[in-house]
Amino acid sequence: MAVPAHTEVATEFEIVIGLEVHAQLTTRSKMFCSCSTDYANAAPNTHVCPVCMGMPGVLPVINRQAVAYTIMTALALNCSIPEYSKFDRKNYPYPDLMKGYQISQYDLPLSRNGYLLIEHDGQVRRIGITRVHLEEDTAKLLHRDGYSLVDVNRAGTPLIEIVSEPDMRSPEEARLYMQKLREILVYLGVSSGRMEEGSLRCDANISVRPRGQQTLGVKTEIKNMNSFKALQQALEYEAHRQIEVLRAGGTIQQETRGWDESRGVTVPQRSKEYAHDYRYFPEPDLPPLVISRAWVEELRARLPELPDARRLRYQRDYGLSAQDADILTEEKALGDYFDQVMALSSQVQDRQARARAASNWLLSEVVRLLHAHDIAPAACPLKPEALVNLLDLLDRQRITGKQAKEVLDEAFVSGELPETIVVRKGIQPPITDPQALERIIVEVIEANPKIVADYRSGKTNAAQYLVGQIMKRTRGQAKADLVQQLLRAKLDEAPTA
C-alpha cells in the first residue's frame, strides 16, 4: 500500500514536479496526410495510407488546422508565439514508429514562455509553461502472450505536447494543474480531453530535495497514468519512495518508471533518455513555418470565454457562490446549458434570483437524473427551454417544489414541456390562501394533542409529523414553507385554558 508523502515532505523534504501533457487534437484528418482521425471504433489498420505507414518515397503535408489549434492553445496558456518555427525528426527505435522516427519540434517550437494559474489551499499558484509544440502520435501496440500487434490507425494523429516548468510542489498541485489544463483544452474545442480513451496523456517528472536546497534533485519520469486520481497517487508513492532512498543513504537513478495501479507502486521501465539520444535534426521534407502576426491575432479573436473568466462572470453578474460557479464551469456542457437557460430567461426581472434557482435545479435535480440514466451533460435530453418552463411555473406558484421534481422526472424522459405535463395530469395549483390553510392546521392540531404537547415541551421535531398530516389533507397541494410558517405560529401561541 502506497504511503502518502504529505507530512514528511512538509517538514524535511520538498517535492518538485513538472508535467509533460500530450493531447490529441480534434482535427478531421491526420497531421501529415488526409486519413480520417475518426478511428475509435474502426477495425485495426483501416485508417491508413502510405504516408502514415511510413512508406518510402512519400511526402508529408502540414495540417493547417492542427497548427491553428496549437497556437490557440498556446495563447490560452499565455504563451508567446514566434514568427518562425520548424519541424524536426526525433529518432528512437520503438516498434510503434512506422518511419523509424517521429516528426516533432525541438529548438523552434510554435510557442514558449506561458503560464497557468491554479488555486491550492486558498492561494493562487503560477505554474510556468515552457512550451506548447506540435507533433504526430504513434501507432498503438497490442500486447499478446509472447508477441505484439501493431494498429496504425492512431499513427499520425495530430498531438500537442504541453511542457510545464518544475513549479509544482505537491501531487495535489499536479492534479489540479492537469484538471485545469483539461478544462481549457475542452473549452477551446481543440481536444476531447478523455484520459480514459488516451486522447489526453500525462508523463510526470518528479524529484525531491532537502527543504531550502536550491539545486534540483535527480528526477524520475512516471508513465501509464490514465486518470487524475492515478496521477496524484503515483506521485505520492514516488515521492515517498525517493525520500526513503535518500534517508537510507542511497542515490536516485534517473529513469523512466511505470505506474502499476493494481499494486499501487511505480516500477522501473528503462533508463531515461536525454535530448542527444534522439539525434534531432530539421525535418527535410517540410518547409519552415512563418507565422504572421495578423493570423495570430485572428486566432486570438477566436478564443472562447475560458473557465476562469466564466467563473468570475457567474459570481459577478449572477451572485452565484464560488462553489456553484466552480461546479458549473468544470464541465463545459453544464456551463453552456446554464448560459442557455439564462439567455431564455431574459424577461425575468430578478436575474440573480433566476440564476440561483437555475443553478440549484441544474446541479441537484438535472445532474441527479443524468447520473441515474448514465447520460453525459452534453447529451442531456432535457432541453434548456424545459427547465426555463419549470422555473416559470415555480415563479408563478403554479406548482410546488415537490410537484416540480415529479414533473421534471417525467419531462426528462418524455421530452415534454413541464407545463404540458401539468395540464395533462390535471395538477391543481397549490393552496396559498393562509386562511384556508389555517383552518386545516387547527383541525390537525386538535386531532393530535399528544404531538402538540411534545412540541411545546421542547421536542420541536414533533412538528414534522404535523406538517406531514397537513400535506396529506391537502393532497400535497400546500406550499411546504407556508405550512411550516403558519403551523409554528399556531403552535407557539399560548394554549387556551
Side-chain angles (χ1 to χ4, degrees), residues 205-378:
N205 294 294
I206 178 172
S207 63
V208 298
R209 62 187 176 187
R211 189 162 295 279
Q213 177 179 302
Q214 295 303 307
T215 56
L216 295 174
V218 177
K219 68 181 179 181
T220 58
E221 181 181 39
I222 308 176
K223 292 181 177 288
N224 302 341
M225 299 165 292
N226 60 3
S227 69
F228 301 122
K229 180 181 178 182
L231 170 65
Q232 182 168 341
Q233 288 179 336
L235 289 170
E236 286 173 348
Y237 173 85
E238 181 62 15
H240 175 72
R241 186 192 72 83
Q242 291 188 20
I243 288 168
E244 290 305 304
V245 169
L246 294 176
R247 281 178 171 168
T251 57
I252 306 299
Q253 300 299 315
Q254 181 161 330
E255 61 183 350
T256 297
R257 301 176 68 88
W259 171 241
D260 186 331
E261 191 157 4
S262 62
R263 294 163 55 201
V265 299
T266 62
V267 294
Q269 290 185 330
R270 61 179 183 271
S271 61
K272 173 62 180 170
E273 296 95 345
Y274 296 86
H276 64 260
D277 293 325
Y278 296 123
R279 305 189 316 280
Y280 283 101
F281 63 88
E283 171 55 61
D285 291 337
L286 292 173
L289 297 173
V290 178
I291 307 162
S292 74
R293 299 303 90 185
W295 192 39
V296 171
E297 293 311 309
E298 177 188 328
L299 293 173
R300 192 190 304 276
R302 284 167 50 185
L303 295 180
E305 181 184 48
L306 294 175
D308 281 350
R310 178 176 267 186
R311 287 186 186 93
L312 289 173
R313 176 168 63 85
Y314 286 171
Q315 294 178 69
R316 180 192 65 234
D317 295 354
Y318 298 137
L320 296 185
S321 68
Q323 181 180 11
D324 285 354
D326 280 344
I327 298 172
L328 282 173
T329 51
E330 281 174 4
E331 186 74 41
K332 182 177 184 294
L334 277 180
D336 290 345
Y337 191 103
F338 174 79
D339 281 342
Q340 291 179 62
V341 169
M342 293 308 299
L344 293 167
S345 301
S346 58
Q347 302 305 313
V348 177
Q349 290 187 345
D350 192 339
R351 300 280 290 164
Q352 291 202 351
R354 170 52 61 95
R356 288 192 294 272
S359 173
N360 289 339
W361 280 88
L362 179 57
L363 296 181
S364 58
E365 298 306 315
V366 176
V367 167
R368 171 182 63 82
L369 290 166
L370 289 171
H371 288 163
H373 293 271
D374 195 22
I375 298 173

